[in-house]
Amino acid sequence: MVLDSLDILTSADRALPYFQPIYSADGQIVIGYEILGRIEYNDKIISMGPFFMDESVPEEYKIEMDDLILAKALDLAVSENDSFLLFINRDANLLMMDQGESFLGLLKEYEERGLALDRIVLEITEHNFKGDFGRLQHMLTYFRTYGIKLAIENAGQESSNLDRIGKLSPDILKIGLQPLVTTSPDEAYHHVLQSIALLARKIGAAVLYEDIEVNFQLQYAWKTGGRFFQGYYLSHPEGHFIEKTLHKDKLAGEFRQFIQREKNKLEKFHQLSQSFSERVQESLAKFKKIGSDYDALIRELSLDLTDCSFRIYICNEEGFQQTENIFKSGETWVSQPEYKLKNWSWRPYFLETIFRMRRNNRGYFSDLYRDIETGESIRTFSYPIGEGLYLFIDLPYAYLYDQDGML
């Protein structure tokens, strides 16, 4: 049920806070709550989200309702003998109307009643802000002098600016997993999440995954470095605080399952890597007589490895390609001499992989990545062949799909 904004304004006295628990990965306990606006109407509890999204509602009314709900939430929080975090969602545009003075003033009133302001986490949505970014940055820096933490909501969605997020140096990045409700979201979405997770690590922010509604979303959040978790799968919003260890055993049990699955997958991947390495060794041994004619070598290898590869070439340890490409087009292998002497040292992890091969004298699979030329997800197998040279074999998605543990 959605209430008309006018109905909400005329029933403001029945507005109340609800609290959605946020869990930690390390302790599997509730470490905080996001404060959500609800209103009691005709014996039903209704979300006030549409009210705050309604552009026809005057800004001062939204601020008034925000403050009313927050005050009721803080009344409950100061009466609790606990130090959990309180996540407060605010429209940065509304905060900037008075430079955040009324918001900070309200918090200070409760500080006098015993509320430590380092328990407060202010959530803003960076890409919704339309004002002077420098002034916003200055206001948030001032807030932090009181111990208030900053979380960026919906990081990576719509027109999020990673540069601006980086300049704000948030303590927490909130990432929604709603697209993972289906088991096969757009692959680009995964790349966006990886970029956000990398940014978080670089700027020292924790990742909070929200909108977790099913088990595999929780597993994804755990696997990709989430420190905090939130969503209906864990707990629905309630009008009260819950025992922080209520779901500890359930979460710990799920994590143990995740860990075992990941260990099994890593073991399988290691076995596949070992067997593929042995296959490459056998192929190289067949064509040892070819000697230093490396273009001839990769042509022979392509025929021997035609079921599992689509591109083969050789580079030196500085990344300069010493052969042409041999590339599989349909069912036919074709030469691409224009790639000879191209340099690939700029590629992520290229020199690191070269160093590992040189040091350990063994082959390695790359991470899964999207090939620029074919547009499909692939892996590259790299293998040292002596004389400071390294063999690179690109494996197509179809082959990886058929190998349990390669995707």
Side-chain angles (χ1 to χ4, degrees):
M1 179 179 180
V2 178
L3 280 184
D4 183 88
S5 296
L6 183 59
D7 290 331
I8 290 178
L9 287 172
T10 56
S11 308
D13 59 318
R14 285 179 281 179
L16 67 162
Y18 260 47
F19 305 94
Q20 185 165 28
I22 294 168
Y23 294 82
S24 68
D26 49 7
Q28 301 95 56
I29 61 173
V30 176
I31 54 86
Y33 298 86
E34 180 174 2
I35 300 171
L36 304 172
R38 298 288 188 266
I39 190 164
E40 186 177 359
Y41 194 83
N42 290 341
D43 297 323
K44 293 182 179 179
I45 301 298
I46 301 166
S47 171
M48 292 182 62
F51 169 81
F52 290 109
M53 297 291 291
D54 188 346
E55 295 184 0
S56 69
V57 176
E59 294 171 336
E60 58 269 24
Y61 291 158
K62 291 182 181 180
I63 294 172
E64 182 180 338
M65 195 66 73
D66 258 336
D67 289 348
L68 174 63
I69 294 167
L70 177 57
K72 290 184 177 182
L74 297 180
D75 283 337
L76 293 173
V78 295
S79 66
E80 293 284 323
N81 185 26
D82 205 338
S83 57
F84 49 76
L85 299 174
L86 292 164
F87 288 68
I88 304 169
N89 204 311
R90 278 290 185 271
D91 185 326
N93 297 292
L94 299 184
L95 274 178
M96 287 299 295
M97 289 180 65
D98 68 349
Q99 307 297 309
E101 289 184 9
S102 61
F103 174 72
L104 185 59
L106 179 58
L107 293 180
K108 284 182 176 180
E109 289 179 22
Y110 283 87
E111 184 181 32
E112 294 174 0
R113 294 172 52 182
L115 177 72
L117 294 192
D118 62 2
R119 293 173 57 191
I120 301 298
V121 182
L122 172 63
E123 292 186 30
I124 65 168
T125 304
E126 169 273 331
H127 62 254
N128 284 345
F129 182 64
K130 300 179 177 63
D132 186 318
F133 181 75
R135 292 176 61 198
L136 173 65
Q137 192 174 7
H138 178 77
M139 180 191 72
L140 295 174
T141 300
Y142 180 62
F143 282 179
R144 295 171 107 165
T145 64
Y146 289 91
I148 298 170
K149 299 173 179 62
L150 175 65
I152 300 297
E153 174 88 7
N154 298 326
Q157 293 186 17
E158 298 183 25
S159 57
S160 290
N161 186 314
L162 298 189
D163 180 58
R164 294 210 313 184
I165 291 175
K167 287 179 180 178
L168 291 176
S169 298
D171 301 280
I172 297 171
L173 292 181
K174 294 192 71 174
I175 302 176
L177 292 183
Q178 189 63 33
L180 285 184
V181 170
T182 61
T183 54
S184 56
D186 189 329
E187 187 177 349
Y189 174 72
H190 290 289
H191 297 317
V192 170
L193 292 192
Q194 291 167 8
S195 298
I196 296 296
L198 177 61
L199 172 65
R201 188 164 74 246
K202 293 291 187 182
I203 65 177
V207 173
L208 190 164
Y209 282 108
E210 59 181 340
D211 303 325
I212 297 174
E213 298 180 1
V214 288
N215 175 271
F216 68 80
Q217 288 177 310
L218 179 62
Q219 182 177 6
Y220 184 92
W222 168 83
K223 184 178 178 180
T224 53
R227 184 177 180 186
F228 305 120
F229 311 123
Q230 178 184 9
Y232 288 173
Y233 181 72
L234 303 167
S235 289
H236 283 256
E238 301 283 355
H240 56 83
F241 305 116
I242 65 174
E243 168 56 46
K244 65 182 180 182
T245 60
L246 182 62
H247 297 301
K248 181 177 175 65
D249 290 344
K250 173 190 172 184
L251 272 176
E254 299 217 31
F255 285 177
R256 280 191 288 270
Q257 291 180 24
F258 298 161
I259 292 166
Q260 189 58 51
R261 289 176 201 160
E262 197 63 22
K263 287 169 67 176
N264 292 342
K265 184 176 180 180
L266 289 171
E267 180 62 31
K268 181 66 176 177
F269 186 79
H270 175 74
Q271 292 171 359
L272 288 168
S273 179
Q274 194 74 13
S275 62
F276 195 84
S277 184
E278 291 170 0
R279 180 176 177 182
V280 171
Q281 287 177 5
E282 292 172 1
S283 291
L284 287 169
K286 288 182 188 177
F287 310 117
K288 194 172 184 180
K289 63 182 183 297
I290 292 177
S292 59
D293 187 351
Y294 296 113
D295 283 323
L297 174 61
I298 63 171
R299 284 195 292 271
E300 294 291 347
L301 286 173
S302 69
L303 299 177
D304 208 42
L305 303 174
T306 191
D307 64 304
C308 61
S309 62
F310 73 94
R311 183 192 292 119
I312 303 176
Y313 55 98
I314 293 172
C315 290
N316 66 16
E317 61 184 23
E318 294 178 339
F320 287 97
Q321 191 163 325
Q322 301 299 294
T323 65
E324 60 192 14
N325 271 1
I326 186 77
F327 181 82
K328 192 174 185 181
S329 177
E331 295 300 317
T332 305
W333 287 91
V334 297
S335 297
Q336 297 177 319
E338 66 270 20
Y339 283 91
K340 188 172 284 191
L341 296 182
K342 294 281 188 180
N343 185 270
W344 308 113
S345 61
W346 54 269
R347 285 179 168 172
Y349 310 114
F350 184 93
L351 293 178
E352 180 182 333
T353 301
I354 292 287
F355 179 78
R356 291 169 67 195
M357 287 192 288
R358 188 175 66 186
R359 180 168 181 167
N360 300 318
N361 195 35
R362 51 164 292 207
Y364 291 94
F365 276 116
S366 71
D367 290 337
L368 199 66
Y369 69 97
R370 185 179 288 273
D371 182 65
I372 294 175
E373 190 167 341
T374 66
E376 70 176 10
S377 295
I378 70 167
R379 287 187 190 271
T380 297
F381 184 76
S382 313
Y383 189 83
I385 60 174
E387 306 295 328
L389 298 176
Y390 301 88
L391 176 68
F392 293 87
I393 303 170
D394 289 342
L395 286 65
Y397 182 86
Y399 175 78
L400 299 177
Y401 182 82
D402 289 336
Q403 311 303 307
D404 183 27
M406 290 291 280
L407 291 177

